[in-house]
Amino acid sequence: MEQSKVTAEEINTAREKYRGVAKRGSILYFVIADLALIDPMYQYSLEFFIKLFKKRLISAPNPPELQERLKALIEDITRSFYTNICRGLFEKDKLLFSFLITAKIGIVETKALNNKEWNFFLRGPSVESKKQDEPPEFIDAKRWKSIQGLEVVHVNFMKITESFKDYTDGLMWKYIVEDDDPINLEFPKKYQESLSMFQRMLVLNVLRPEKLILMVKKYVADTLGTIFTVSPAFDLKEAYQDTSSTTPIIFILSPGADPMNYLKKLAEELEMDGPRFHPLSLGQGQGPVAKEKILAGRRNGDWVCLQNCHLAASWMDELERLQETQVESETHPDFRLWLTSMPTNKFPVPVLQSGIKITNEPPKGLKANIRGTLNDISEKEYESSPKPYEYKKLLFALAFFHAVILERRKFGAIGWNIPYEWMNSDFETSHKQLRVSL
């Protein structure tokens, strides 16, 4: 009995040392769970989270020193969850995800910001200041009310309104209000030294709200690292390696996106093409055919790809039932179910929660677009041209041209003269023409 008590105390002592890792895990889980409020397709189950968390505990670096081990675990878990979840998010939501992680770590773990600061960022001043003083000439009345509201948020903001009216400080504040790049400018000395990174962002958000995205990116990069501000490269094979025969892989589509070429390439690489690959575009009357393909695929170990699930909303209940009744021991280990769908609230939540979600849309920015295009070209293909110098130069020019056209999406589906949805298939056709011409 005494021995069991000693053993229990030793276990509790050892477990307590890993509380920091558990806390980081809980922060990540609740941020991920809240993503469903942004888009109905962003559904992740606790079972999915625990499975990935355990995998990282096993795979993370294992230094001999405990403190180094804990640090390595926390960094690896945070980075892995960011990478895994980001591959199922649209570009517009990836920075929001990393910002929420950073802010929640600051509130719950490091105490770098408090709830008052967070609420001010989300909602602005909670109570109107009783001060009736006039704002400086370079600030309008609305922003002045927000500056006054900052004084009750944290002691570091005390007398900030007086700083704006001081002649020397006022010139610095005016420069921040008017400059094209205010993010890296210095604040008046008192606030430059005392304000935290998040508090600095609060001030800049009041003075220059149009720069918020850049401020958030800098805050995330300075706090967690630059890797959390860069979209992970699209890697279908890596996503496949995280699946099993009972895990559906769901492509969340966006206008102009076509993941089928990537899927066919992967099937060919893994020798799952030809008679072992069964694509089917869902629509009226295709439900029974899809069901038969899934059941046959489970028996034979084939790949089944059901395209455009959003067009078969009435059959989604049957898809949910097929997934819930699937037994892993009775399913061939090579079987995979691939699904493609536009965002819709008709897609069955249990299937979303148990599956791996992947988005495939052009990255934002010329640099990200060029990198994504060149990453899709294998090293073997890149080095196979009989005229390597000319080929590599022209290929980069083609990738740059392709990126420019994709960036024009912000103006709508406008080609040079007619509406046209430019896609990766167009680049592949141009790439083939380039090789033929050389």
Side-chain angles (χ1 to χ4, degrees):
M1 193 68 178
E2 287 297 322
Q3 183 61 40
S4 63
K5 285 183 179 180
V6 172
T7 304
E9 287 177 3
E10 289 176 351
I11 292 173
N12 285 334
T13 302
R15 184 169 57 186
E16 195 66 27
K17 293 176 181 176
Y18 285 83
R19 183 172 291 275
V21 179
K23 183 178 283 189
R24 177 62 62 91
S26 69
I27 290 170
L28 292 170
Y29 172 72
F30 286 109
V31 170
I32 292 168
D34 285 342
L35 291 176
L37 301 173
I38 301 173
D39 191 292
M41 301 296 281
Y42 298 163
Q43 301 276 354
Y44 299 89
S45 66
L46 179 60
E47 181 183 0
F48 167 85
F49 181 88
I50 292 173
K51 182 179 178 182
L52 184 55
F53 191 84
K54 286 181 176 179
K55 182 179 178 181
R56 297 322 308 170
L57 290 178
I58 296 170
S59 306
N62 190 16
E65 293 291 328
L66 178 62
Q67 291 305 316
E68 292 179 6
R69 164 72 171 161
L70 295 177
K71 183 180 178 182
L73 271 175
I74 289 173
E75 289 178 354
D76 182 82
I77 287 168
T78 308
R79 185 171 56 252
S80 296
F81 272 101
Y82 172 74
T83 303
N84 274 273
I85 301 301
C86 265
R87 68 187 174 199
L89 302 181
F90 291 120
E91 284 293 320
K92 65 182 179 64
D93 299 322
K94 290 176 181 178
L95 181 60
L96 175 60
F97 176 52
S98 58
F99 174 60
L100 288 173
I101 292 175
T102 310
K104 290 299 181 183
I105 289 172
I107 294 172
V108 177
E109 191 175 294
T110 64
K111 309 297 182 185
L113 63 142
N114 58 39
N115 286 319
K116 277 188 175 182
E117 292 169 304
W118 183 238
N119 287 329
F120 185 93
F121 177 80
L122 296 177
R123 304 178 181 89
S126 55
V127 293
E128 193 167 318
S129 175
K130 295 179 181 178
K131 291 184 178 180
Q132 299 298 323
D133 52 339
E134 291 295 318
E137 60 177 10
F138 57 89
I139 294 181
D140 59 46
K142 183 179 179 181
R143 284 190 286 182
W144 186 242
K145 290 291 183 185
S146 296
I147 292 293
Q148 291 175 329
L150 278 172
E151 293 191 329
V152 299
V153 170
H154 195 280
V155 67
N156 287 353
F157 293 115
M158 288 295 291
K159 298 184 178 181
I160 193 170
T161 52
E162 295 179 15
S163 174
F164 271 83
K165 292 190 172 185
D166 179 81
Y167 178 76
T168 305
D169 287 3
L171 288 175
M172 297 183 74
W173 290 122
K174 183 179 181 182
Y175 193 43
I176 290 170
V177 170
E178 297 175 351
D179 193 71
D180 290 336
D181 183 23
I183 297 173
N184 296 311
L185 294 178
E186 285 198 0
F187 284 10
K189 185 177 180 181
K190 174 184 175 182
Y191 300 100
Q192 179 70 22
E193 295 174 353
S194 64
L195 296 185
S196 67
M197 281 186 287
F198 191 83
Q199 290 167 349
R200 182 183 174 89
M201 189 170 67
L202 290 182
V203 177
L204 287 170
N205 190 35
V206 170
L207 299 178
R208 302 295 297 276
E210 77 279 7
K211 301 288 185 180
L212 178 61
I213 299 298
L214 295 175
M215 290 182 247
V216 167
K217 191 171 287 189
K218 179 174 172 55
Y219 171 66
V220 172
D222 290 347
T223 307
L224 288 186
T226 309
I227 189 175
F228 291 90
T229 63
V230 179
S231 298
F234 179 78
D235 190 339
L236 188 56
K237 188 174 182 180
E238 183 182 347
Y240 167 78
Q241 290 169 347
D242 289 339
T243 68
S244 67
S245 59
T246 57
T247 309
I249 304 101
I250 305 154
F251 287 104
I252 307 175
L253 303 177
S254 58
D258 183 14
M260 288 306 295
N261 286 331
Y262 294 104
L263 185 52
K264 288 175 182 177
K265 282 182 181 178
L266 181 65
E268 184 178 345
E269 183 182 341
L270 300 177
E271 299 181 351
M272 293 298 296
D273 54 340
R276 300 196 67 187
F277 182 66
H278 306 278
L280 176 66
S281 184
L282 291 178
Q284 190 171 5
Q286 294 298 309
V289 180
K291 179 179 179 180
E292 182 55 38
K293 283 184 178 292
I294 290 173
L295 296 177
R298 289 176 183 174
R299 291 193 301 270
N300 304 326
D302 296 340
W303 283 9
V304 178
C305 178
L306 304 182
Q307 299 170 260
N308 301 320
C309 292
H310 58 284
L311 300 180
S314 60
W315 190 72
M316 290 297 97
D317 289 340
E318 179 66 15
L319 175 63
E320 180 180 345
R321 191 189 67 78
L322 285 170
Q323 278 301 112
E324 289 181 340
T325 56
Q326 183 179 7
V327 180
E328 187 169 7
S329 60
E330 299 175 3
T331 303
H332 195 290
D334 289 342
F335 169 72
R336 292 296 184 276
L337 177 61
W338 304 82
L339 306 168
T340 75
S341 175
M342 295 290 284
T344 173
N345 56 9
K346 303 295 183 183
F347 204 97
V349 172
V351 178
L352 282 171
Q353 290 186 337
S354 63
I356 284 183
K357 290 165 282 297
I358 304 172
T359 57
N360 175 31
E361 59 178 337
K364 290 184 178 179
L366 286 176
K367 181 179 177 181
N369 265 306
I370 293 171
R371 184 180 64 181
T373 300
L374 295 178
N375 278 342
D376 290 339
I377 299 171
S378 67
E379 185 176 354
K380 181 180 178 181
E381 186 177 11
Y382 187 68
E383 300 290 349
S384 63
S385 175
K387 296 182 178 179
Y389 178 81
E390 293 86 348
Y391 170 69
K392 291 176 182 178
K393 289 285 186 182
L394 290 171
L395 179 63
F396 180 83
L398 183 61
F400 183 82
F401 178 70
H402 180 65
V404 170
I405 296 176
L406 291 181
E407 280 298 288
R408 286 169 58 89
R409 287 178 185 274
K410 65 184 70 172
F411 305 112
I414 306 296
W416 301 117
N417 295 301
I418 59 172
Y420 182 72
E421 285 284 358
W422 194 270
M423 295 187 291
N424 288 335
S425 55
D426 296 291
F427 173 79
E428 290 174 7
T429 302
S430 303
H431 184 204
K432 290 175 182 177
Q433 290 293 326
L434 171 61
R435 295 185 71 89
V436 169
S437 299
L438 284 174

